[in-house]
């Protein structure tokens, strides 16, 4: 039996790094995960080493070396390749994936393009008044959860970072905090907050903009009541309380970013937080889903200047969501090869995008035999990050966290495989 202290759970964007694991080394299984939530426990306990070939080419088992050669050939032959996924791997691997895309002049895109992509665009438009989750834990006395359901999607967010914990300036924890949920339906999170504002679907922008007006002492048009289902009186009351807070945080989810208005919704909420700083301290942060999707944004941003949907075909980065985002590139049948890392677009993209992906040569890295791995030209079986592989991931507040793996895997990591592909491509490009 082996004990791993302060292991990191990479199931969701909270990236809790205080999990104590008990590992049955002989059976390669985790038998206890102290402090993990129900989702984290499922993540740790369901992990086992699958008995699969280390790599396949068109379904035929091959060695890693043979698969690496073929993967490099596919990517070098492509005129318009797309690199996609990256939110469930280490930042070290993400960095190599961007380098490969740069060498071959392809497009690099992440799962952000189908979740918080609109927020990524909004940051560039209006900026972000931000902070760490540690600051929220220690300072926030007013919380607005908007378009998300942390009680079910990020179970420890409430207990470890936002709603419940005692902090330096909120010594009584929950009792020192006021919490509001804005959502279109009454989720489990509604029970945990003080005020639930049930807005009409597709009216987030109107509510955020009305609050901006009220912050500046301007009355919104009365028609906003009909649109949002919230009375101006309720909005005014909320704004008064927001101004009285010492430290407020708006934590928003995909219920805000992926509904009508998209990046305009994120911009409205980010602008609202910015405006509030004329009166008191307010921040706004997106609630991120996958374990290292924030790392993907960071790595692609510091490598290219943009967070996702970046084309490197002209030798310099171009950012254009819609043009360079993977689901669109595939649905328009533009990409002629794909490198998919730790993601399963065959399970969640549109039918035209899936049909095209299945028709082009693809290189897929995944610990599981996903639907995407099943149609891959070259499929690599990989070790799981966090459980078998060390490295770095970024928490949803952009704080990098180290991984402490539980047991080794017979398979290589994404980083090692991507390095092997990069080496081959670089040698060919440099004529070495
Ligand atoms: Fe894992 Fe998220 Fe649960 Fe933390 S909140 S233990 S990161 S699933």
């Amino acid at each position: 039996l082996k004990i791993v202290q302060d292991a990191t759970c990479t199931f969701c964007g909270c990236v809790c790094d205080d999990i104590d694991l008990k590992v049955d080394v002989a059976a390669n299984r985790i038998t206890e995960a102290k402090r993990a939530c129900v989702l984290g426990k499922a993540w740790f306990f369901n992990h086992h080493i699958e008995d699969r070939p280390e790599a396949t080419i068109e379904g035929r088992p091959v060695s890693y070396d043979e698969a690496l050669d073929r993967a490099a050939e596919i990517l070098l032959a492509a005129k318009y390749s797309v690199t996609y996924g990256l939110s469930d791997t280490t930042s070290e691997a993400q960095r190599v994936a961007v380098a490969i895309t740069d060498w071959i002049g392809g497009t690099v895109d992440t799962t952000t393009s189908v979740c918080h992509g609109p927020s990524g665009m909004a940051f560039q438009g209006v900026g972000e008044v931000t902070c760490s989750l540690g600051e929220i834990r220690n300072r926030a006395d007013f919380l607005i959860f908007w378009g998300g359901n942390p009680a079910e999607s990020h179970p420890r967010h409430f207990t470890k970072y936002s709603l419940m914990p005692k902090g330096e300036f909120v010594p009584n924890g929950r009792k020192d905090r006021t919490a509001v949920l804005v959502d279109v339906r009454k989720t489990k999170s509604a029970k945990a907050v003080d005020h639930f504002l049930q807005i009409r679907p597709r009216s987030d922008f109107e509510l955020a903009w009305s609050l901006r007006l009220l912050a500046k002492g301007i009355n919104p048009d009365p028609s906003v009541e009909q649109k949002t289902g919230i009375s101006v009186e309720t909005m005014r009351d909320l704004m008064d309380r927001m101004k009285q807070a010492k430290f407020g945080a708006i934590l928003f989810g995909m219920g805000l970013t992926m509904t009508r208005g998209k990046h305009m919704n994120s911009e409205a909420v980010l602008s609202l937080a910015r405006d509030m700083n004329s009166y008191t301290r307010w921040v706004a942060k997106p609630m991120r889903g996958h374990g290292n999707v924030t790392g993907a944004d960071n790595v692609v941003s510091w490598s290219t200047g943009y967070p996702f949907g970046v084309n490197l075909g002209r030798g310099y980065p171009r950012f254009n969501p819609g043009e360079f985002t993977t689901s669109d590139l595939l649905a328009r049948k533009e990409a002629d090869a794909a490198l998919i890392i730790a993601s399963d677009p065959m399970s969640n993209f549109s039918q035209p995008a899936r049909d095209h992906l299945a028709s082009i040569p693809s290189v897929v890295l995944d610990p599981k035999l996903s639907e995407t791995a099943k149609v891959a030209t070259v499929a690599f079986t990989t070790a799981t990050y966090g459980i078998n592989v060390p490295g770095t991931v970024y928490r949803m507040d952009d704080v990098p966290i180290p991984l402490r793996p539980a047991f080794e895997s017979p398979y290589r990591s994404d980083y090692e495989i991507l390095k092997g592909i990069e080496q081959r491509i670089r040698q060919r490009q440099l004529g070495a």
Side-chain angles (χ1 to χ4, degrees), residues 106-118:
T107 292
V108 61
D109 184 37
T110 75
T111 58
T112 287
S113 64
V114 291
C115 62
H116 269 283

Side-chain angles (χ1 to χ4, degrees), residues 300-359:
V300 178
S301 291
W302 53 247
S303 306
T304 71
Y306 304 103
F308 66 97
V310 186
N311 178 265
L312 298 161
R314 290 194 184 161
Y316 56 87
R318 289 182 299 154
F319 172 62
N320 199 6
E323 184 178 4
F324 301 132
T325 33
T326 310
S327 58
D328 306 288
L329 270 178
L330 291 173
R332 289 195 306 264
K333 302 186 183 351
E334 289 173 1
D336 62 352
L339 170 61
I340 313 282
I341 300 130
S343 173
D344 192 13
M346 285 302 283
S347 294
N348 51 44
F349 274 11
S350 66
Q351 193 59 44
R354 294 204 303 258
D355 289 345
H356 187 61
L357 178 58
S359 75

